[in-house]
Amino acid sequence: TEGNKNPIITPPEVCPYCHEELEEAPTLMCVNKECPSRVMGKIENYCTKLNIAGIGESTIETFFNAGILKSIADLYKLSDHKSEIIELEGFGTKKYDAIVKEIDKHRKVDGADLLGSIGIKSIGRRKFKDILDIYYFDVLMGMTEKDIPKLLKVPGVKEATAQKVLEGIEDNRELIMFLTKELTVVKKKRGEYNIVFTGVRNPKFAEHLESLGFEINGSVTKKTKYVIKADADYVSGSTKKGEDMGIPVIPIIEAYEVFNFH
């Protein structure tokens, strides 16, 4: 505008790293999955979310440019490149050993943290925790599009989210399978959450829930994950308290579907 002495900034049309055309999605960004910047960013995001210290942007870029670190999986293959790493400027045996030791410190990982750290778009650790509070890690890994109705039973999961979860897992399946062999995936602690029955009780279903790590409780608390009632019209003190606390209150027939009980 007239009188404005600031230079006009022309937005770039191509990515400075991979030279692919940028797209608005909704902000201007590179959508090339193989772009070096995106690959390095994905590795850095993984290290940050799993609290793997000492492997920041500079180290990742140095290893990437040296052909040592091209994916998250390569973090667990650094021993194959020890001689190369210790010869890099600013590195050496001591720093190499510290990096490997730090990675090894984090080989026990919560399943939600693992899935929420590999860069699945728009799905974070909190959402995966909600899902894995109900379904085993292996059960989630085996889900397909026909299982979307099961995911919709998880509080806060809508159809678009369920679709992104399954697509993200499928896109990263090879990486996830590699990581589950390298790492110990920790399941939720037994008794971390409980289930309350009201007006109905199926002993075999209760046993199934216990096998998933839930406790069966007689009263609604902050640890209650679901209140399971006799049918859609059933009302009790437990259903009212559950609703007041924002806890899902569902009929037992619906609960069978949520927890994959047949």
Side-chain angles (χ1 to χ4, degrees), residues 129 132-134 155 188-198 201 205-206 208-229 238 241-242 245-250 255 258-259:
K129 187 177 188 305
L132 294 176
D133 280 345
I134 296 175
K188 64 178 179 289
K189 297 176 182 177
R190 183 166 295 279
E192 184 176 357
Y193 297 104
N194 65 54
I195 302 289
V196 172
F197 285 92
T198 177
R201 183 69 175 265
F205 182 39
H208 174 70
L209 293 173
E210 289 174 336
S211 75
L212 297 179
F214 293 99
E215 283 187 354
I216 307 303
N217 207 5
S219 57
V220 179
T221 70
K222 291 181 179 179
K223 292 174 63 177
T224 302
K225 199 66 181 176
Y226 278 90
V227 176
I228 297 175
K229 58 184 181 177
S238 292
K241 186 174 181 180
M245 294 175 65
I247 296 167
V249 179
I250 59 176
V258 170
F259 293 100

Side-chain angles (χ1 to χ4, degrees), residues 64-253:
F64 183 90
N65 291 335
I68 294 169
L69 196 57
K70 294 292 187 180
S71 70
I72 290 171
D74 288 339
L75 288 166
Y76 302 95
K77 302 175 184 177
L78 295 184
S79 60
D80 296 341
H81 303 277
K82 180 177 179 178
S83 60
E84 299 167 61
I85 293 172
I86 63 178
E87 293 297 324
L88 291 171
E89 184 177 353
F91 289 84
T93 302
K94 187 175 181 179
K95 191 166 184 178
Y96 165 82
D97 289 341
I99 289 173
V100 172
K101 183 178 180 180
E102 177 65 20
I103 291 172
D104 287 342
K105 276 173 56 180
H106 299 274
R107 284 185 177 266
K108 181 180 287 187
V109 60
D110 178 82
D113 287 341
L114 174 62
L115 294 176
S117 299
I118 59 176
I120 294 177
K121 187 178 180 181
S122 303
I123 309 296
R125 291 173 291 180
R126 178 68 259 180
K127 192 59 64 182
F128 277 117
K129 187 177 188 305
D130 290 340
I131 295 170
L132 294 176
D133 280 345
I134 296 175
Y135 296 108
Y136 277 132
F137 186 93
D138 291 344
V139 171
L140 175 60
M141 291 301 297
M143 285 187 178
T144 63
E145 280 201 5
K146 68 179 179 61
D147 296 306
I148 284 181
K150 295 179 181 178
L151 288 177
L152 297 182
K153 303 295 184 182
V154 178
V157 173
K158 305 299 183 183
E159 187 160 355
T161 300
Q163 192 73 45
K164 287 178 181 177
V165 166
L166 295 181
E167 288 176 356
I169 288 175
E170 192 56 41
D171 289 345
N172 292 276
R173 186 169 295 279
E174 184 177 346
L175 171 62
I176 296 169
M177 291 296 97
F178 172 84
L179 293 175
T180 55
K181 292 177 182 178
E182 287 290 323
L183 309 175
T184 300
V185 179
V186 180
K187 295 181 173 65
K188 64 178 179 289
K189 297 176 182 177
R190 183 166 295 279
E192 184 176 357
Y193 297 104
N194 65 54
I195 302 289
V196 172
F197 285 92
T198 177
V200 65
R201 183 69 175 265
N202 180 330
K204 289 186 176 180
F205 182 39
E207 185 178 326
H208 174 70
L209 293 173
E210 289 174 336
S211 75
L212 297 179
F214 293 99
E215 283 187 354
I216 307 303
N217 207 5
S219 57
V220 179
T221 70
K222 291 181 179 179
K223 292 174 63 177
T224 302
K225 199 66 181 176
Y226 278 90
V227 176
I228 297 175
K229 58 184 181 177
D231 55 50
D233 299 323
Y234 186 82
V235 177
S236 69
S238 292
T239 63
K240 291 178 179 178
K241 186 174 181 180
E243 290 169 352
D244 289 343
M245 294 175 65
I247 296 167
V249 179
I250 59 176
I252 193 167
I253 295 299

